Amino acid sequence: AYINESPTSCNIWAYCCRGRKLQMNVPTQRADQMIGLIADHYLRLEMVRILSLGLLPDGIDDKYGHRGVELKNAENGARVLVLFERLFEDGPDVPSPGCGLHISGVFVVHNVLKNRAKWKVVPEPVSSYTPFDNRMERLLKCLQTAKGKAKPVLESVDLGIHNPGDPDLSLLETSFGTHMNIRT
């Protein structure tokens, strides 16, 4: 359905966990995998991993999301990061499942200093959008722009990606109440 969506789908908005109303760029709960599949199928950018960043890499500040995906151009080793914020239908204070993602930034390695990557945001290619583009077509244009700007990066370069991943949470009912186990 994402492929054949109407261009009006670009006008869907929802709330992030900080309470801001943001444009929903990618629908569904498995949007991170959807970004990876689209990048691979249309642009030959392989998804390296899903990100849940503990620290942000050099050149990326806190106004962008801490979750995302890392993509790699297998032809030249260039890397692309897509960071996003999860969105919720009813706002951050009302328990609801996530309904999609807002892409807060797409990044490429700008340069390497002392074997450490410095990332740079790729401006959204708004001027290339047409009134007939749906959300997937806009995503493709963003990723295509990033792929064109991404420079090859050696495997030995420290990308600054510290990805502890999401912790495993489990609840255990005890006679003293509910106990939460957190495993990282």
Side-chain angles (χ1 to χ4, degrees):
Y2 188 54
I3 293 171
N4 298 318
E5 274 185 336
S6 162
T8 60
S9 64
C10 297
N11 296 321
I12 298 173
W13 297 73
Y15 294 93
C16 73
C17 62
R18 296 183 232 180
R20 296 181 311 169
K21 202 168 187 179
L22 301 171
Q23 190 173 26
M24 186 188 309
N25 304 119
V26 184
T28 86
Q29 298 235 359
R30 296 286 177 223
D32 36 18
Q33 286 97 343
M34 187 182 289
I35 293 169
L37 287 170
I38 289 167
D40 185 39
H41 181 74
Y42 290 98
L43 301 171
R44 304 286 187 247
L45 291 171
E46 299 172 357
M47 186 165 75
V48 176
R49 58 186 155 175
I50 295 171
L51 303 172
S52 183
L53 300 170
L55 301 171
L56 291 170
D58 291 348
I60 302 175
D61 65 41
D62 201 33
K63 71 179 182 181
Y64 302 99
H66 286 254
R67 296 178 183 271
V69 294
E70 178 186 355
L71 305 171
K72 178 181 178 181
N73 184 338
E75 294 172 11
N76 65 7
R79 302 296 176 110
V80 175
L81 294 184
V82 180
L83 297 183
F84 52 73
E85 295 196 43
R86 293 211 183 279
L87 299 178
F88 305 89
E89 292 176 10
D90 301 318
D93 300 327
V94 180
S96 67
C99 61
L101 300 178
H102 169 74
I103 295 175
S104 56
V106 177
F107 299 84
V108 296
V109 173
H110 175 62
N111 60 21
V112 176
L113 297 170
K114 297 183 181 177
N115 208 41
R116 189 164 172 96
K118 176 102 171 158
W119 295 85
K120 181 180 180 180
V121 69
V122 176
E124 187 177 359
V126 176
S127 63
S128 71
Y129 296 162
T130 73
F132 306 105
D133 287 343
N134 65 21
R135 293 185 290 189
M136 193 192 90
E137 291 160 333
R138 288 183 177 194
L139 172 62
L140 277 171
K141 287 179 179 183
C142 286
L143 295 175
Q144 180 67 47
T145 301
K147 182 179 179 181
K149 292 182 181 290
K151 300 173 187 173
V153 179
L154 298 174
E155 290 291 329
S156 61
V157 169
D158 178 3
L159 298 173
I161 297 173
H162 305 285
N163 187 37
D166 291 330
D168 263 343
L169 302 177
S170 62
L171 298 176
L172 175 66
E173 294 298 328
T174 69
S175 58
F176 300 105
T178 304
H179 175 76
M180 181 183 289
N181 292 315
I182 302 172
R183 190 173 33 161
T184 56

